[in-house]
Amino acid sequence: MLNMSSSPSSDYQVLGRVTGGLAHDLNNHLSPILLGVQTLQRHDPDEKTMRILLMIEQAARKASELLRNVLEFSREARNSTSVLTRNDVVALLMDHAHSHLGSTAGLVVRDGTSWTVNTDAEVLSHIVGALLHNAIEAGAAAETVTVELMFDPATTNTESNAWISPRDRLCIIVSDKGSGMSAETAAVATHPFFTTRSADGHAGLGLFLVHSLVKQLNGMLQIASTEREGTVVRVYLPVVAVQKS
């Protein structure tokens, strides 16, 4: 079994990945603000308006500089990424199934392909733990939550509506029979600070942080949900080596 206890270095890596994703997203919002201010400045505003525009521009540039520093920190933290084997990931999922669901009965491992993935146990543990916590928080009984691990091979299939994956990937699927979400809610579930449980003190960062970590690993997060029926979350991560059995 993997040792799931946290360490200062692992916390540093997870924080680096999360802040990197957040800084990148925020910087995307700052760019049009600066562009808009500069466009307005070229239209001969009066003195008072010009002062306001300069104040906005200075604040946006200071924020942009802070974000550059955050991105530099995240790059340093991400350099320490390690490699996990299929057996490492299975062990990690077993630990989480036992701690969150009470047993490993809800864990299903499909396909015996051996592979490795570029990440470390703490980052993947954060992703899986947050998804399982979310499922139970959504009202799902632990015995109705399942975790699946499967190998998703590369395909060049170009048939209509076929899924195309240019690289081999692992897929972790967390399913629950909880309250589910509407299509509108599912579409914004990974947005920062979005939550339907603010009255319970939730900040709305759980799925956002998971989504950020998955993107940092060059992966993809998919959410399918139906109200009063449950939710299925799929995490796809590219594998770096495959040994066919």
Side-chain angles (χ1 to χ4, degrees):
M1 290 291 182
L2 292 176
N3 179 7
M4 300 306 299
S5 61
S6 182
S7 67
S9 61
S10 65
D11 290 344
Y12 179 77
Q13 293 167 21
V14 173
L15 180 60
R17 292 187 180 279
V18 172
T19 54
L22 179 59
H24 184 269
D25 289 343
L26 289 175
N27 201 47
N28 286 340
H29 292 296
L30 274 177
S31 296
I33 292 175
L34 280 169
L35 180 61
V37 167
Q38 291 164 358
T39 299
L40 291 173
Q41 288 173 338
R42 290 195 293 268
H43 284 74
D44 297 323
D46 58 55
E47 184 178 348
K48 181 179 179 180
T49 302
M50 178 60 82
R51 285 200 302 270
I52 295 173
L53 291 174
L54 285 173
M55 180 179 65
I56 296 173
E57 182 182 18
Q58 289 170 0
R61 290 192 182 281
K62 286 181 181 178
S64 183
E65 179 62 29
L66 286 173
L67 290 175
R68 277 194 291 271
N69 292 335
V70 170
L71 285 169
E72 180 60 32
F73 158 75
S74 75
R75 278 191 291 270
E76 291 176 1
R78 293 199 303 271
N79 286 338
S80 57
T81 296
S82 57
V83 173
L84 296 181
T85 67
R86 173 184 177 276
N87 289 342
D88 292 332
V89 176
V90 170
L92 183 149
L93 295 181
M94 289 180 67
D95 281 346
H96 275 291
H98 188 271
S99 61
H100 285 85
L101 309 180
S103 73
T104 58
L107 174 62
V108 179
V109 179
R110 305 187 187 279
D111 195 281
T113 305
S114 296
W115 39 258
T116 55
V117 60
N118 270 337
T119 184
D120 56 71
E122 286 76 18
V123 171
L124 192 57
S125 179
H126 183 96
I127 291 171
V128 175
L131 292 179
L132 287 172
H133 180 75
N134 246 35
I136 294 172
E137 285 267 309
E143 60 268 21
T144 71
V145 180
T146 61
V147 184
E148 294 182 55
L149 175 66
M150 58 186 293
F151 177 71
D152 184 42
T155 176
T156 56
N157 191 342
T158 57
E159 294 179 9
S160 177
N161 298 323
W163 175 256
I164 299 174
S165 172
R167 295 187 60 182
D168 294 329
R169 304 175 299 181
L170 70 88
C171 181
I172 297 173
I173 307 170
V174 177
S175 310
D176 70 69
K177 300 295 183 183
S179 56
M181 297 178 281
S182 66
E184 293 77 13
T185 299
V188 297
T190 60
H191 290 192
F193 306 112
F194 175 82
T195 179
T196 58
R197 302 195 297 274
S198 56
D200 299 325
H202 291 269
L205 289 173
L207 278 176
F208 167 72
L209 296 180
V210 168
H211 189 218
S212 296
L213 289 172
V214 172
K215 287 197 302 181
Q216 290 286 337
L217 296 173
N218 296 317
M220 181 174 63
L221 182 75
Q222 290 183 336
I223 300 175
S225 190
T226 303
E227 287 185 285
R228 295 180 296 279
E229 292 185 16
T231 301
V232 179
V233 181
R234 290 178 171 84
V235 175
Y236 292 93
L237 298 176
V239 301
V240 294
V242 178
Q243 181 180 354
K244 303 293 184 181
S245 57

